Amino acid sequence: MPLDAREGLLRKTLTHSVAAGTVLFEQGELPTFQHVVLSGSAHLFGRSHEGREVLIEIVRPGDLVIPAAVVSQAPYLMQARVLEPSRFLLIEGDAFRAALAEEPALAQAMIDSLASQFRRMVGQIKNLKLRSAPQRVASYIVGLSRRQQAPVRVVLPYEKNLIASELGMTRESFSRTLSAMQRDGISVQGDVIVIVNRR
Amino acid sequence: MPLDAREGLLRKTLTHSVAAGTVLFEQGELPTFQHVVLSGSAHLFGRSHEGREVLIEIVRPGDLVIPAAVVSQAPYLMQARVLEPSRFLLIEGDAFRAALAEEPALAQAMIDSLASQFRRMVGQIKNLKLRSAPQRVASYIVGLSRRQQAPVRVVLPYEKNLIASELGMTRESFSRTLSAMQRDGISVQGDVIVIVNRR
DNA sequence: GTCATTCATTGATTCGTCTCAATTGTCGGA
DNA sequence: TCCGACAATTGAGACGAATCAATGAATGAC
């Protein structure tokens, strides 16, 4: 973005350091800020009427936190919770939307961000609809190994609890699946998984 | 958009009338056009390695067909199939991306489109992870009744086969669920459903 | 070091949904 | 009008995953 436009926008922002356990916003609230992850992460949970809760997405440094809600000015479909000490940039919603309309570079970045988040969601739907629990676990491990650039030794980045929830199953099922997979392909020790047979 | 920009872009487009059964593009292909639904609809299917296939989304007149793939220049994650006679506007990919960068109005429209598609996907994930099959069927019917502005009599818009697939279950389960729900809330006659007890 | 708390594992059982199979219903074509 | 093709229903059974319950391991507070 041009420097003056950027500075104008930055005047409408503040940075926020939050402790583990903080809730950035609740499902159902109207967005007032566009949150941007500077460091750490935010976990996005969906909640049902009955109160069940499921992890849907994790956003990391550089990501916008649900830009879709901010540009739509519609209620959040997820709750954002911070599970590790993190810093966020908060951009005032109106100013952000105005800047989007004025600044092509910003609009372009937003398009890219929305597109990649959309694709992640589609991938997750395909996972849920087309794969069994063990298949989801396997592809999750393979995906981890790619992201960690570790062909053999991968480390689970969160509690198994959360990972299970992200994969759409219970922690018990996740645990059982891991131990079943020890018979033909991996070995598990706490949060460390060694891939023996990648196929 | 300004008239001359629009006309410039329209020179890079063609309209396409397709018969039922046509495949617009395959999962895995690289986008060459941005398809826009003019009339009719397109059904987007995800396919697994084993060849199983599931309906993920239906796009209708005015919608872009997976703009995320076009702006990312990344392979389609879904196949687009046309199940009823329909017309599409095909915009040449490069020209479309160029126009996005040049024309703020177009960029803004793209942002809105991507945001709403993102939210639909999130809603679907919550459906899959948090609700049982009967709950999904019930909320689908209620959603239909809202969209058709018919508080009582709703008509299933597609074959039960497809609806089941969209809801992430088999046609058998869908059928069973409907008949179970006849005991406390609806009556079913072919593709017509009468809502007796909305709650 | 001990204790309480949380997280993870394991077992037994129940429940939901899929699969396979047979039957019925519906529509369009010969 | 009969027939074939396809969609939808129904039943029986198997399977997967959730639930409930108990135990074991790790973590942090004091």
Side-chain angles (χ1 to χ4, degrees):
Chain A
M1 287 173 61
L3 218 134
D4 56 339
R6 194 167 81 195
E7 297 206 323
L9 184 57
L10 280 175
R11 262 193 291 280
K12 300 294 179 81
T13 71
L14 49 135
T15 66
H16 203 190
S17 295
V18 303
T22 309
V23 173
L24 291 183
F25 48 78
E26 289 289 347
Q27 172 174 328
E29 282 181 18
L30 278 172
T32 52
F33 294 103
Q34 173 64 61
H35 297 249
V36 187
V37 186
L38 295 176
S39 70
S41 61
H43 292 234
L44 308 179
F45 294 88
R47 198 197 309 264
S48 71
H49 284 293
E50 296 95 343
R52 275 184 58 215
E53 203 178 59
V54 166
L55 176 60
I56 296 189
E57 206 193 351
I58 299 164
V59 287
R60 345 189 128 280
D63 285 337
L64 306 185
V65 186
I66 330 192
V70 179
V71 303
S72 310
Q73 301 196 66
Y76 287 115
L77 298 178
M78 309 180 260
Q79 178 204 56
R81 209 179 317 155
V82 179
L83 301 186
E84 57 178 332
S86 305
R87 287 192 322 126
F88 296 89
L89 188 70
L90 309 199
I91 311 176
E92 211 262 277
D94 291 331
F96 186 64
R97 282 185 293 272
L100 271 179
E102 307 263 297
E103 296 302 328
L106 186 62
Q108 187 61 50
M110 173 59 97
I111 288 171
D112 293 343
S113 169
L114 281 168
S116 91
Q117 294 202 19
F118 174 84
R119 306 187 106 236
R120 266 194 273 173
M121 294 298 105
V122 171
Q124 196 170 152
I125 291 174
K126 286 171 68 177
N127 250 344
L128 290 168
K129 282 189 175 174
L130 292 168
R131 301 220 256 233
S132 67
Q135 287 176 317
R136 295 201 293 274
V137 171
S139 80
Y140 180 77
I141 294 173
V142 172
L144 272 188
S145 116
R146 192 174 324 111
R147 269 187 286 150
Q148 296 178 4
Q149 303 181 328
V152 172
R153 206 189 98 108
V154 304
V155 179
L156 299 178
Y158 304 101
E159 289 153 3
K160 291 178 177 164
N161 211 340
L162 277 177
I163 298 173
S165 167
E166 187 178 8
L167 296 178
M169 63 181 103
T170 60
R171 50 209 141 107
E172 293 97 325
S173 293
F174 184 58
S175 176
R176 272 186 254 273
T177 303
L178 281 183
S179 52
M181 285 172 60
Q182 298 215 48
R183 283 177 202 86
D184 44 53
I186 65 174
S187 83
V188 184
Q189 220 123 76
D191 60 354
V192 176
I193 294 180
V194 174
I195 302 178
V196 179
N197 177 355
R198 191 178 204 83
R199 160 173 299 260
Chain B
M1 287 174 62
L3 219 133
D4 56 338
R6 193 167 83 196
E7 296 205 323
L9 185 57
L10 281 175
R11 260 192 294 280
K12 300 295 180 76
T13 71
L14 49 134
T15 66
H16 201 190
S17 296
V18 304
T22 309
V23 172
L24 290 182
F25 47 78
E26 289 288 347
Q27 173 174 327
E29 282 181 18
L30 278 172
T32 52
F33 294 102
Q34 174 64 62
H35 297 250
V36 186
V37 185
L38 295 177
S39 70
S41 61
H43 292 234
L44 308 178
F45 294 89
R47 198 196 310 262
S48 71
H49 284 293
E50 296 94 343
R52 274 184 59 215
E53 202 179 59
V54 166
L55 176 59
I56 296 190
E57 207 194 347
I58 300 165
V59 286
R60 343 187 132 282
D63 286 336
L64 305 184
V65 186
I66 330 194
V70 179
V71 302
S72 311
Q73 301 197 65
Y76 286 115
L77 298 177
M78 309 180 259
Q79 178 203 58
R81 210 179 315 154
V82 179
L83 301 185
E84 57 179 332
S86 305
R87 287 192 322 128
F88 296 90
L89 187 70
L90 308 198
I91 311 177
E92 211 260 279
D94 291 331
F96 186 64
R97 282 185 293 271
L100 270 179
E102 308 261 299
E103 297 300 329
L106 185 62
Q108 188 61 49
M110 173 58 96
I111 288 171
D112 293 343
S113 169
L114 281 168
S116 90
Q117 294 203 18
F118 174 84
R119 306 188 106 238
R120 264 194 276 174
M121 293 298 103
V122 171
Q124 198 170 151
I125 291 173
K126 286 172 66 178
N127 250 346
L128 290 168
K129 282 189 174 173
L130 292 168
R131 299 219 256 234
S132 67
Q135 287 176 316
R136 295 201 294 274
V137 171
S139 80
Y140 181 78
I141 294 173
V142 172
L144 272 187
S145 116
R146 191 172 326 112
R147 267 187 288 149
Q148 295 176 5
Q149 302 180 327
V152 173
R153 206 189 98 112
V154 305
V155 180
L156 299 177
Y158 304 102
E159 289 154 5
K160 290 179 178 165
N161 210 342
L162 276 178
I163 296 172
S165 167
E166 188 179 7
L167 296 178
M169 63 181 106
T170 59
R171 46 199 146 129
E172 292 98 325
S173 294
F174 185 58
S175 175
R176 271 187 256 274
T177 302
L178 281 183
S179 51
M181 285 171 61
Q182 299 215 48
R183 282 174 204 89
D184 45 50
I186 65 172
S187 83
V188 184
Q189 219 125 78
D191 60 354
V192 176
I193 293 180
V194 174
I195 301 178
V196 178
N197 177 353
R198 189 176 205 85
R199 161 172 297 261

